[in-house]
Amino acid sequence: MLPLLQRPDQHLRFTHANSITESSSSAPSHRLLRLLPRRSRHAHPFALSTKCAAGSSSDASVEEDDAEKDLSMRHQSAELGYRRPPKQIEEIVDVPPNPSYIISPRRDRIMFLKRRAMPPLSDLAKPENVLSGIRIDPGSNMRSRMSFYTGITVHMLMDNGTLGPAKEVHGYADGAKINFVTWSPDGQHMAFTVRYEDKVDSSVNLSLWVANAESGEARPLCISENIRLNAIFELFVWVNDSTVLVCTIPSSRGNPPKKPLVPFGPRIRSNEHKNVVQMRATKEMLKDLHEEQLFDYYATSQLILVSMDGQVKPIAPPAIYTALDPSPNEKYLMLTSVHRPYSSIVSYERFPKKVELWTVDGTFIREVCDLPLAEDIPITSGSVRKGKRLIRWRPDMPSTLYWVEAQDGGDANVNVSPRDIVYMERADPLNDEKPQVLLELDLRYRRTSWCNGSHALVYEHWYKTRRTRTWVISPDCKDVSPQVLFERSSEDAYSNPGSPIMCRTPAGTFVIAKIKTKYEGTYILLKGQGATPKGSIPFLDLLNINTGVKERIWESSKEKYYESVLALMSYNPKCEIQLNQLKLLVSKESRREPAQYYIKIWPDKNQVQITNYSHPHPQLALLQKEVIRYQRKDGVKLTATLYLPPGYNPSEDGPLPCLIWSYPGEFKSREAAGQVRRSPNKFARISSNFPLLWLARGFAVLADPTIPIIGEGDQEANDRYIEQLVASAEAAVNEIVRRGVAHPNRIAVGGHSYGAFMTANLLAHAPHLFCCGIARSGAYNRTLTPFGFQKEVRTLWEATDTYIKMSPVMSANKIEKPILLIHGEDDSKVTTAMQSSQFYDALKGNGVPCRLVILPFERHHYAARESVMHVIWETDRWLEMFCASSSRNIQVMESTVDTARSPACEALAVSFTKIYSLVRLSVS
């Protein structure tokens, strides 16, 4: 006989070693199971269920009274301060992330960077200046709210693929915050910044450090007190193995300009010349002359060259430098800066921009371009800035520039051929030689991947038709004509050929690795995700550029593991790699095993494991995951990932409350919309903003069900947004109900940003499907975004009916089910907090059960631990009241094991199944 639950606010605990199994001799003895009670159908919304599998009516009566008191207090306290979620969720969220890694240029070392968990709210509450699309921390003269690393370790990579002993980078004091970590071109040193906060005056000490890769010993590089770093834009870059170009605060800079008590004058915006300027809404632009002065004050830098021995040399005059690009031969510097006149409607990225060439010793060479203010770029997808754009150094040449220029004035609405032209010229052109035309394109240029002069891959794309082309060109052979290597729909995941494997040159640039085989021709490697109808199977193909013929030389396991290629670990100064000496860094994971890194070595393809990360949430190590396929009523095939709690059996245990979490996508074809773009073998890592947390509360979770909004041919997808949205949601709900895993009356829907917009529309137009909704950081009134949103490029005046029909605020009177609205107070995107506030007012004015939570200091995504925990608490409370309540009690397992792969895990699953059969909480 199982013991009764004594109090509703206490967890029911059973000890394996004592009396929970039918046969005590077979019971494991390694921890506890915890069963959390759920709420009753006949109790009021805040009451817990009073029925257990065994027990007297008097016990149940006491339990019900205590339950009502407990939940009544919980409801009253919901308005007070920051709250924390249940312990079993909090423990999952607080797991620190695994380290990041950076591979040395010569592929002989790997640097691991320790990361912290979520920052405290006090970090977000620090003063900041919001200027021209960026947020500045005035105390450190860097971007505000920057994350940081807490430590660095370096390992040698041995010839057999194993890692040598860890070398801890040391020399700085405890508590340092580390940023901007980079290898020197030769891989012998690392440069990074260290910052400390003065607890007395809240000032920040930001300094540039360098560490020896062999010993790990670190020291400050700029030791003069007169040198202060400016990290608003690019802070520093290695010019060569022993010299760094650094942005610093001009020594002549005084105190920041003070805002006058009396304004300079009225704010005036004028369009007397009838220009057509269409901008998507934002609130971080410069507002007045004072903010222009602040932008100048914080963003202006003096460039200095700092050598490893501490010598300092100023370079170029002070300016607002946004990019620093040394040439591969270490002779030239390409400096990009912005200047006045500024704008109050666009960010700094569209300010007048100047690109200049200087020698490393400080001699001005020439001006590459000086582009005017670009306020008038059309909102149509594919529109770009006029003039030279994407100016880069060729990574395979000493000092050659390339760039692209639009031939349609940057306006995607203009039909012209060619649309873009790619040019190239040397940094120091001789005898007034003209730039060379590399390629003329009829679509919009995307990027170029270079391959040591002999070949290059040029990519172009056109969003409206989803066409994409990959060209093969021979930039240094004028008698070789460009050839189309691939042409396909960018939506067609099944035909995606992958991207080239890149190799690091001695200059620190990246080019396509040439693969030497026993066959003639030029070969490269393509790595891809390998989308297939049965799930993603990452691959590695050997491609003959001359013929276009491909050979698959490796692909991931199909049965249990998901493996993917991360980087090339072979090194050759000429970037020519022998196929039988190929060495790759790969990751490998399964549904229940977290991703680990391996070195895979040819020709035998042996692999050596180099990390051994523990399971981040062992209490859910045995969760159940399945990629499911189903179909909506118009025949479009859909995909979702279904997660179920550990030990759950639908045939024995009945349907669960379910949370559906998604984000709609737009497509041009039904075929592309129906393709599978996920793998059943990927590890289910649970993050603080993902719905899998509620597996720990006994929910089924349907994650990312595809919600395709399709506009075939000349049709616009959003003209049938509501119909397709509802049809996709109906198909998802019908499938999980058909499978018996979800209770049809206990299905909640939620999403973030455009997913929140989806949630509100579903509650308005498909109220029969869901019991409640959670909408985070959404925009609910599309008339407040009149110049387009998401992939919609028509204006409000061009598609008035669509804007109004898609706006949930216009259908607030149709919503009946409870909806929880959450928003960051400092959200600067088109999804401003005002959107949620106005939607809440509309809902409340129509008597809809709703709740609005505004998070102080938070932006579009939530960062502070207090905020994240409170959002989880709010969501859990909402789901408990309106989804988990009114259904039968759900049993939830919380087990603690040392590792996800320990034998105890399997025993735990067997034991939990037995407990399910013994402890059956009845349907009220």
Side-chain angles (χ1 to χ4, degrees), residues 274-347:
K274 300 182 180 181
N275 296 323
V276 177
V277 178
Q278 301 176 348
M279 299 298 302
R280 296 196 174 187
T282 185
K283 67 174 188 177
E284 291 190 341
M285 303 302 104
L286 298 175
K287 300 180 182 65
D288 52 33
L289 181 59
H290 173 64
E291 289 197 350
E292 290 187 10
Q293 293 174 340
L294 284 176
F295 181 72
D296 280 334
Y297 178 84
Y298 288 110
T300 300
S301 294
Q302 172 63 61
L303 300 180
I304 61 171
L305 284 171
V306 184
S307 61
M308 296 292 284
D309 59 5
Q311 295 184 16
V312 175
K313 178 181 180 180
I315 294 289
I320 301 177
Y321 295 104
T322 59
L324 316 174
D325 296 296
S327 62
N329 66 354
E330 306 172 358
K331 182 178 179 181
Y332 299 101
L333 300 173
M334 181 167 59
L335 308 179
T336 302
S337 61
V338 298
H339 59 83
R340 291 175 180 265
Y342 300 148
S343 170
S344 62
I345 63 174
V346 297
S347 71

Side-chain angles (χ1 to χ4, degrees), residues 196-442:
Y196 304 95
E197 296 184 8
D198 191 312
K199 296 182 179 180
V200 177
D201 60 6
S202 298
S203 62
V204 177
N205 175 25
L206 180 67
S207 55
L208 181 63
W209 286 60
V210 65
N212 183 283
E214 180 67 28
S215 66
E217 183 177 356
R219 59 183 174 84
L221 188 57
C222 300
I223 59 176
S224 171
E225 295 183 356
N226 296 326
I227 297 177
R228 294 178 296 162
L229 306 183
N230 190 341
I232 301 302
F233 296 108
E234 189 165 5
L235 173 57
F236 70 88
V237 64
W238 287 92
V239 174
N240 52 46
D241 296 337
S242 60
T243 309
V244 182
L245 180 65
V246 187
C247 282
T248 65
I249 296 173
S251 58
S252 60
R253 192 179 85 170
N255 295 322
K258 293 184 178 180
K259 187 172 184 177
L261 296 176
V262 178
F264 293 106
R267 298 179 183 175
I268 299 173
R269 297 170 64 181
S270 174
N271 193 35
E272 298 172 19
H273 297 292
K274 300 182 180 181
N275 296 323
V276 177
V277 178
Q278 301 176 348
M279 299 298 302
R280 296 196 174 187
T282 185
K283 67 174 188 177
E284 291 190 341
M285 303 302 104
L286 298 175
K287 300 180 182 65
D288 52 33
L289 181 59
H290 173 64
E291 289 197 350
E292 290 187 10
Q293 293 174 340
L294 284 176
F295 181 72
D296 280 334
Y297 178 84
Y298 288 110
T300 300
S301 294
Q302 172 63 61
L303 300 180
I304 61 171
L305 284 171
V306 184
S307 61
M308 296 292 284
D309 59 5
Q311 295 184 16
V312 175
K313 178 181 180 180
I315 294 289
I320 301 177
Y321 295 104
T322 59
L324 316 174
D325 296 296
S327 62
N329 66 354
E330 306 172 358
K331 182 178 179 181
Y332 299 101
L333 300 173
M334 181 167 59
L335 308 179
T336 302
S337 61
V338 298
H339 59 83
R340 291 175 180 265
Y342 300 148
S343 170
S344 62
I345 63 174
V346 297
S347 71
Y348 76 91
E349 294 168 326
R350 294 194 184 184
F351 286 177
K353 181 168 67 173
K354 183 183 295 185
V355 179
E356 297 177 332
L357 292 183
W358 292 70
T359 62
V360 172
D361 60 9
T363 303
F364 174 76
I365 301 297
R366 63 186 176 97
E367 182 182 282
V368 177
C369 67
D370 191 354
L371 305 178
L373 180 65
E375 289 184 332
D376 58 348
I377 300 177
I379 62 172
T380 305
S381 182
S383 295
V384 295
R385 191 172 192 157
K386 299 175 184 177
K388 295 180 178 181
R389 70 180 197 277
L390 302 175
I391 306 170
R392 304 283 188 268
W393 292 108
R394 266 188 61 173
D396 58 339
M397 296 291 285
S399 55
T400 298
L401 297 170
Y402 71 99
W403 68 90
V404 62
E405 293 186 44
Q407 306 302 298
D408 55 9
D411 188 348
N413 296 305
V414 175
N415 292 321
V416 64
S417 178
R419 187 173 294 277
D420 271 344
I421 298 180
V422 184
Y423 294 94
M424 177 179 70
E425 74 174 350
R426 293 191 299 179
D428 49 352
L430 303 176
N431 302 322
D432 297 325
E433 61 182 345
K434 301 297 183 182
Q436 175 186 342
V437 175
L438 275 180
L439 190 61
E440 296 182 348
L441 304 171
D442 285 336

Side-chain angles (χ1 to χ4, degrees), residues 336-641:
T336 302
S337 61
V338 298
H339 59 83
R340 291 175 180 265
Y342 300 148
S343 170
S344 62
I345 63 174
V346 297
S347 71
Y348 76 91
E349 294 168 326
R350 294 194 184 184
F351 286 177
K353 181 168 67 173
K354 183 183 295 185
V355 179
E356 297 177 332
L357 292 183
W358 292 70
T359 62
V360 172
D361 60 9
T363 303
F364 174 76
I365 301 297
R366 63 186 176 97
E367 182 182 282
V368 177
C369 67
D370 191 354
L371 305 178
L373 180 65
E375 289 184 332
D376 58 348
I377 300 177
I379 62 172
T380 305
S381 182
S383 295
V384 295
R385 191 172 192 157
K386 299 175 184 177
K388 295 180 178 181
R389 70 180 197 277
L390 302 175
I391 306 170
R392 304 283 188 268
W393 292 108
R394 266 188 61 173
D396 58 339
M397 296 291 285
S399 55
T400 298
L401 297 170
Y402 71 99
W403 68 90
V404 62
E405 293 186 44
Q407 306 302 298
D408 55 9
D411 188 348
N413 296 305
V414 175
N415 292 321
V416 64
S417 178
R419 187 173 294 277
D420 271 344
I421 298 180
V422 184
Y423 294 94
M424 177 179 70
E425 74 174 350
R426 293 191 299 179
D428 49 352
L430 303 176
N431 302 322
D432 297 325
E433 61 182 345
K434 301 297 183 182
Q436 175 186 342
V437 175
L438 275 180
L439 190 61
E440 296 182 348
L441 304 171
D442 285 336
L443 308 182
R444 187 65 78 198
Y445 172 86
R446 294 290 291 271
R447 69 184 185 278
T448 300
S449 296
W450 299 86
C451 188
N452 281 335
S454 60
H455 293 88
L457 301 183
V458 181
Y459 301 83
E460 61 175 338
H461 176 257
W462 195 243
Y463 173 74
K464 189 172 184 178
T465 61
R466 309 300 199 273
R467 298 311 301 167
T468 181
R469 294 192 192 108
T470 303
W471 292 83
V472 177
I473 65 173
S474 297
D476 301 332
C477 302
K478 295 183 180 180
D479 56 341
V480 178
S481 300
Q483 300 292 327
V484 174
L485 182 61
F486 304 115
E487 182 168 7
R488 46 183 286 275
S489 168
S490 60
E491 291 183 336
D492 184 5
Y494 294 168
S495 69
N496 192 333
S499 56
I501 294 283
M502 308 301 288
C503 180
R504 188 86 175 250
T505 70
T509 61
F510 285 92
V511 300
I512 300 174
K514 282 186 177 181
I515 305 301
K516 308 298 288 185
T517 72
K518 60 182 179 181
Y519 307 108
E520 293 185 359
T522 301
Y523 289 87
I524 66 173
L525 293 174
L526 297 177
K527 64 173 182 176
Q529 294 302 308
T532 74
K534 295 183 179 181
S536 294
I537 305 173
F539 64 84
L540 191 66
D541 283 349
L542 183 66
L543 171 70
N544 186 325
I545 286 186
N546 307 105
T547 64
V549 175
K550 292 187 295 182
E551 175 190 353
R552 185 140 303 177
I553 63 172
W554 173 86
E555 68 178 9
S556 174
S557 166
K558 299 183 180 68
E559 301 303 322
K560 180 179 178 180
Y561 290 101
Y562 179 87
E563 304 166 278
S564 58
V565 175
L566 302 178
L568 177 69
M569 299 302 291
S570 305
Y571 178 74
N572 180 281
K574 296 182 179 180
C575 289
E576 296 178 351
I577 309 299
Q578 294 289 336
L579 180 61
N580 59 5
Q581 297 177 4
L582 186 62
K583 188 182 295 184
L584 299 171
L585 177 67
V586 301
S587 67
K588 182 179 180 180
E589 60 192 285
S590 71
R591 301 182 192 192
R592 293 177 177 174
E593 298 173 65
Q596 307 290 353
Y597 297 145
Y598 293 77
I599 301 296
K600 186 180 288 290
I601 304 173
W602 264 251
D604 298 327
K605 302 178 186 177
N606 296 327
Q607 57 186 26
V608 180
Q609 184 173 345
I610 62 172
T611 62
N612 189 25
Y613 298 128
S614 61
H615 198 292
H617 33 81
Q619 57 270 61
L620 289 174
L622 301 182
L623 63 81
Q624 303 173 56
K625 173 186 175 182
E626 181 183 0
V627 174
I628 64 175
R629 295 280 279 159
Y630 51 98
Q631 185 171 294
R632 75 185 189 190
K633 60 186 179 182
D634 61 358
V636 175
K637 296 179 181 179
L638 304 177
T639 309
T641 306

